[in-house]
Amino acid sequence: MLTSAEGLDCTPGFQQKVFHIDQPAEFIKDQAILNLTFSDCKGNDKLRYEVSSPYFKVNNDGSLVALRNITAVGKTLFVHARTPHAEDMAELVIVGGKDIQGSLQDIFKFARTSPVPRQKRSIVVSPILIPENQRQPFPRDVGKVVDSDRPEGSKFRLTGKGVDQEPKGIFRINENTGSVSVTRTLDRETIATYQLFVETTDVNGKTLEGPVPLEVIVIDQNDNRPIFREGPYIGHVMEGSPTGTTVMRMTAFDADDPATDNALLRYNIRQQTPDKPSPNMFYIDPEKGDIVTVVSPALLDRETLENPKYELIIEAQDMAGLDVGLTGTATATIMIDDKNDHSPKFTKKEFQATVEEGAVGVIVNLTVEDKDDPTTGAWRAAYTIINGNPGQSFEIHTNPQTNEGMLSVVKPLDYEISAFHTLLIKVENEDPLVPDVSYGPSSTATVHITVLDVNEGPVFYPDPMMVTKRENISVGSVLLTVNATDPDSLQHQTIRYSVYKDPAGWLNINPINGTVDTRAVLDRESPFVHNSVYTALFLAIDSGNPPATGTGTLLITLEDVNDNAPFIYPTVAEVCDDAKNLSVVILGASDKDLHPNTDPFKFEIHKQAVPDKVWKISKINNTHALVSLFQNLNKANYHLPIMVTDSGKPPMTNITDLRVQVCSCKNSKVDCNAAGDLHFSVTSVLLLSLFSLACKLA
């Protein structure tokens, strides 16, 4: 931890980036060439140096020495310094050097897809390495371009992404000295490399040499924490699973350079909740992130665990897990899933139930215990009646909330047939048991059911009762004697009868013996009769306390009698006084009776009034006839008596006046106002004369 003011202003890295060394006749082994100063601002713990030439090394104190006597080393050396907190690059320019020894890319593993061919040129550039996240001050020099043959007055020019292309202004070059500087902090996770170009120009800006590529490599720093991006993380493992069973995989992401330890992650379990029965129920593979069980199958028992859900705090740490690495955490939830390793057991061997005869519905709830997970088929019960239900009077279903067996009566029971029932019921789970578990005697139970006697109402037999009678039979005629019996055969009760529903009021019933007779004439054509059937209801009441009632239905089929005369329709007709077609009207006839007491009908004009036969009626078919004129008549209203007779035996006849209006029909206008006198038939004249004579005699 920094405590001095100087430490607070510290900038990690080399304090000098570029060194110039005159090429001596020979570099002497172990003789200090120069001293490098590097600081990570945190004490330089675990400081390491790497040199691009295999002939040199840097000691811990920063002194550069040769490993043996050397006469030629090349034009440039690079020194890379690194601690867990910072790293930086320094360039050593050998003035007078001829050959390049070693490769910066080999030292730092920067892959290329193909080698870059070298061309003989006067502009000499070397890759520039800049650590990301450098602090102020800016701009700061990061490298230099050398042109040994540069003409007098020529200038250096730098182009490319980061200079004159977006993001612009990051790099610039001293046009006179070739010194390259960076103007602000770089972020490797945004841009890892910059491809720049250097050229020399004359005073007019014309290119003299170049452009020569210049690669700027941003050195990664450990500035990104590992993050878990795919949560929530939920895993499942079956109880009793073998030690080493894989539960799930946890992987984190680190945005730092994957080719460095900055993104090399290691995983560990920081915390397990709950910590019973063992604080180390699980293990995580530090490299892969696989979480596996490490306890014995016996301890991984869902029914004995304090909680079948575990929460693990998983930590991912970069720098290969070193203490200096950055960390990120996530929560892994692990569910211990149930398997059907416990059979359901009845809470008692025998259950009692009572039910009234004739009743239906649930009569008893059977309770069971099961130690398995209540949310699974390993807990849910399925009940079966295996004995004592030959008539299928009982059914049993599972209550989904309580897991109880609801035993129901679905067909009413009869106390007089059996007052007691005994059922044997078994219970199983929806899911099959594991192989080493079986259903035992406690998975069956006996239910004893007592049927309570109830005063049942008498029952008519047969029901409905049916009888066939001719309509119009005389009042007091006996139709039948009803019969009702009491199901309560052990109680020896008496029965009385009464009329319950008699819509037309036609019937009586003897309350003692049940004889039914008529109190009025039965009429098949009554509106209370439907399809020739009359329906009445009777009651049978026993002598119980309280009394019980039974209802019986009587269906009386009424045979038809010819007791209805036919009638005609229509009863009014119109005809023009000058009609060329002398047809007046087509009459139809109808009869309320049934065949053969209806058609064919006979149509006649009753006592025709006009001697010369003005009117004529002609049969069309069994139910219709045509009324016509022999000649045109004057405008007037005429009453014509029409007689119609049915085919019954004996037949019935009806006479109906047909009112015929003779109208004036001119210019498409029909005038039926009674301008003329009313013309009567002979019958009407005779009746009027008789009425007048009676008045005179009085």
Side-chain angles (χ1 to χ4, degrees), residues 637-695:
N637 291 333
Y638 298 86
H639 287 268
L640 183 65
I642 302 296
M643 184 171 65
V644 58
T645 305
D646 62 24
S647 296
K649 292 183 180 179
M652 294 196 71
T653 299
N654 185 23
I655 299 175
T656 303
D657 275 352
L658 172 65
R659 180 185 177 191
V660 180
Q661 295 177 291
V662 179
C663 307
S664 174
C665 305
K666 296 180 179 180
N667 299 324
S668 301
K669 293 183 179 181
V670 178
D671 180 10
C672 294
N673 292 328
D677 295 333
L678 179 64
H679 286 242
F680 294 94
S681 63
V682 172
T683 302
S684 301
V685 172
L686 291 175
L687 290 174
L688 182 59
S689 300
L690 290 173
F691 178 74
S692 300
L693 180 60
C695 291

Side-chain angles (χ1 to χ4, degrees), residues 70 96 114 149 192 441 489 504 634 639 697:
I70 307 171
S114 61
D149 299 328
S489 57
N634 294 327
H639 287 268
L697 293 175

Side-chain angles (χ1 to χ4, degrees), residues 171-472:
F171 304 100
R172 62 191 183 192
I173 191 170
N174 187 308
E175 62 183 10
N176 295 316
T177 65
S179 179
V180 179
S181 60
V182 63
T183 63
R184 57 178 180 262
T185 299
L186 302 182
D187 183 4
R188 189 203 68 84
E189 285 70 48
T190 302
I191 300 178
T193 61
Y194 296 86
Q195 297 295 328
L196 309 180
F197 297 92
V198 180
E199 58 187 353
T200 56
T201 64
D202 60 17
V203 294
N204 297 318
K206 182 179 180 182
T207 300
L208 298 176
E209 184 178 355
V212 176
L214 169 60
E215 184 177 31
V216 177
I217 301 170
V218 183
I219 300 174
D220 186 42
Q221 286 190 334
N222 193 19
D223 59 345
N224 289 278
R225 292 182 178 276
I227 57 174
F228 292 88
R229 301 190 297 186
E230 299 175 358
Y233 297 92
I234 300 176
H236 294 264
V237 62
M238 188 70 69
E239 65 173 328
S241 295
T243 302
T245 298
T246 299
V247 180
M248 61 192 301
R249 172 170 287 187
M250 297 277 289
T251 55
F253 168 78
D254 196 309
D256 291 319
D257 186 355
T260 69
D261 286 352
N262 295 339
L264 184 58
L265 304 182
R266 293 293 182 265
Y267 301 93
N268 70 89
I269 300 175
R270 287 274 301 274
Q271 181 181 330
Q272 171 191 301
T273 304
D275 59 359
K276 300 291 189 309
S278 167
N280 300 304
M281 299 283 290
F282 306 95
Y283 165 80
I284 188 168
D285 187 304
E287 296 184 3
K288 297 180 181 178
D290 289 338
I291 299 176
V292 299
T293 61
V294 293
V295 294
S296 67
L299 287 180
L300 205 63
D301 184 357
R302 186 189 173 282
E303 285 72 40
T304 61
L305 293 176
E306 178 181 326
N307 190 334
K309 179 175 74 173
Y310 286 86
E311 289 190 350
L312 307 180
I313 304 300
I314 306 299
E315 179 184 72
Q317 187 171 28
D318 59 21
M319 298 300 294
L322 295 176
D323 291 342
V324 295
L326 302 177
T327 61
T329 61
T331 299
T333 301
I334 299 177
M335 307 298 298
I336 310 302
D337 291 339
D338 188 37
K339 63 181 179 182
N340 198 8
D341 55 351
H342 295 86
S343 62
K345 298 178 180 179
F346 282 102
T347 57
K348 51 187 178 181
K349 291 297 296 180
E350 294 184 349
F351 294 85
Q352 304 292 330
T354 58
V355 59
E356 291 183 348
E357 65 172 328
V360 295
V362 177
I363 59 173
V364 66
N365 290 320
L366 310 181
T367 53
V368 295
E369 293 179 345
D370 196 315
K371 296 181 180 180
D372 292 312
D373 184 357
T375 64
T376 66
W379 176 81
R380 290 190 291 271
Y383 297 87
T384 306
I385 302 173
I386 58 177
N387 195 17
N389 191 27
Q392 305 302 309
S393 298
F394 302 93
E395 287 184 359
I396 187 166
H397 300 281
T398 303
N399 185 318
Q401 280 74 42
T402 65
N403 218 27
E404 295 176 342
M406 301 182 295
L407 181 63
S408 302
V409 176
V410 293
K411 293 182 180 179
L413 304 177
D414 191 340
Y415 172 85
E416 283 70 32
I417 295 177
S418 177
F420 300 97
H421 297 268
T422 300
L423 305 181
L424 184 61
I425 297 176
K426 72 174 181 179
V427 61
E428 298 175 319
N429 287 133
E430 290 184 2
D431 291 349
L433 295 171
V434 296
D436 55 340
V437 177
S438 61
Y439 294 104
S442 57
S443 294
T444 60
T446 301
V447 182
H448 299 286
I449 302 166
T450 301
V451 182
L452 303 178
D453 189 22
V454 173
N455 186 23
E456 301 170 86
V459 178
F460 284 87
Y461 182 82
D463 190 27
M465 301 162 281
M466 292 182 285
V467 65
T468 300
K469 296 293 180 180
R470 290 175 60 86
E471 65 174 332
N472 298 336

Side-chain angles (χ1 to χ4, degrees), residues 565-584:
F567 57 90
I568 65 166
Y569 57 90
T571 58
V572 177
E574 294 179 354
V575 65
C576 294
D577 57 358
D578 58 352
K580 295 181 180 180
N581 183 358
L582 297 180
S583 296
V584 176

Side-chain angles (χ1 to χ4, degrees), residues 65-136:
V65 299
L67 296 175
R68 62 182 177 83
N69 295 339
I70 307 171
T71 57
V73 298
K75 292 183 177 182
T76 307
L77 295 177
F78 296 95
V79 177
H80 180 224
R82 177 176 181 174
T83 75
H85 303 288
E87 60 181 324
D88 200 2
M89 187 73 68
E91 181 181 3
L92 311 180
V93 178
I94 310 299
V95 179
K98 296 180 180 180
D99 300 316
I100 296 179
Q101 298 289 338
S103 168
L104 183 66
Q105 282 74 12
D106 293 338
I107 293 295
F108 301 107
K109 301 180 178 62
F110 293 116
R112 291 183 179 272
T113 57
S114 61
V116 178
R118 297 190 57 82
Q119 300 176 353
K120 184 175 181 180
R121 58 192 178 217
S122 60
I123 298 177
V124 179
V125 296
S126 298
I128 298 175
L129 284 80
I130 307 174
E132 65 174 334
N133 304 325
Q134 286 184 319
R135 302 181 187 175
Q136 295 283 357

